[in-house]
Amino acid sequence: MKRINVIGTSGSGKSHFSYRLAKHLSIPCIEMDALFWLPNWEHLENDEFLSLLEAHLEKASWVLDGNQSKTNHLKWQYVDTIIWLDYSFYHTFKQIVVRSIKRSFSQKELWAGTGNTESFRRNFFSSDSVILWMLQNYWKTKRKYATLFASQTLKDVRLVRFNVPPTSGTIFS
């Protein structure tokens, strides 16, 4: 496992898992959102984003955190392992609400240099809410990855599916 893509619905813990796995394997972690988002919640244009992502994917080893279907044709040319964090709706919903509350209070910058932070207004009272996004896309994302894992599309790629969240310290101890 040298080129690993961690996938899952919003709130499944992709970033946390990816950073811990990369640290455990002593390889770089690439967070797609950190590449994609610019200051003031603007984002890179598609061609520019794909070009930047490809420059990272050409490296010998990495853990890639992120879904963005528009990148599949690119990232899955390089990947040797896909890890799907396929947790229950209840677990994922609880996790994203708790995360949103913590981030709203902390006002910690999400990606260095962007100034982008989360707020109660954005998370709970906005059409840009990550919680709303999760609610609208959880089942669609689950079906999409279930179909992918059942197909022969990525027959040369190791597919790993976690459907029970790990207890503290069980995976990377």
Side-chain angles (χ1 to χ4, degrees):
M1 294 189 335
K2 292 184 183 246
R3 293 174 168 169
I4 305 160
N5 184 195
V6 178
I7 60 173
T9 64
S10 296
S12 61
K14 294 180 302 294
S15 298
H16 180 75
F17 183 91
S18 296
Y19 278 103
R20 290 188 67 202
L21 179 59
K23 182 178 179 184
H24 181 76
L25 297 174
S26 300
I27 61 177
C29 186
I30 306 165
E31 186 179 0
M32 284 177 45
D33 282 344
L35 301 177
F36 182 73
W37 289 106
L38 300 170
N40 301 312
W41 293 101
E42 298 292 325
H43 57 81
L44 289 175
E45 293 300 322
N46 196 46
D47 290 344
E48 191 176 358
F49 173 59
L50 291 174
S51 179
L52 179 60
L53 179 60
E54 185 166 28
H56 286 276
L57 296 178
E58 290 174 342
K59 297 176 181 170
S61 60
W62 37 258
V63 174
L64 176 65
D65 159 32
N67 291 325
Q68 296 203 28
S69 296
K70 65 185 174 190
T71 66
N72 290 354
H73 71 282
L74 178 62
K75 66 185 180 177
W76 291 344
Q77 291 177 45
Y78 294 92
V79 73
D80 61 40
T81 305
I82 298 174
I83 299 175
W84 176 19
L85 303 183
D86 180 25
Y87 303 143
S88 73
F89 177 85
Y90 172 77
H91 173 82
T92 306
F93 181 71
K94 182 179 107 184
Q95 197 160 275
I96 202 164
V97 168
V98 169
R99 181 187 84 182
S100 294
I101 291 169
K102 286 179 180 178
R103 286 180 175 179
S104 295
F105 272 117
S106 75
Q107 289 297 292
K108 183 180 175 191
E109 183 180 42
L110 298 177
W111 307 287
T114 64
N116 296 338
T117 61
E118 292 186 15
S119 67
F120 281 102
R121 184 175 186 188
R122 182 178 182 86
N123 285 337
F124 294 95
F125 305 106
S126 165
S127 60
D128 293 327
S129 166
V130 69
I131 297 168
L132 181 59
W133 175 263
M134 179 268 176
L135 290 170
Q136 292 172 332
N137 290 282
Y138 176 85
W139 296 108
K140 181 172 78 173
T141 302
K142 189 174 185 76
R143 282 190 303 273
K144 175 177 70 174
Y145 290 135
T147 300
L148 174 72
F149 271 49
S151 76
Q152 291 298 312
T153 306
L154 299 169
K155 62 181 181 243
D156 296 328
V157 175
R158 179 182 295 120
L159 303 174
V160 179
R161 181 179 182 180
F162 290 120
N163 55 14
V164 177
T167 55
S168 182
T170 57
I171 292 183
F172 305 108
S173 47

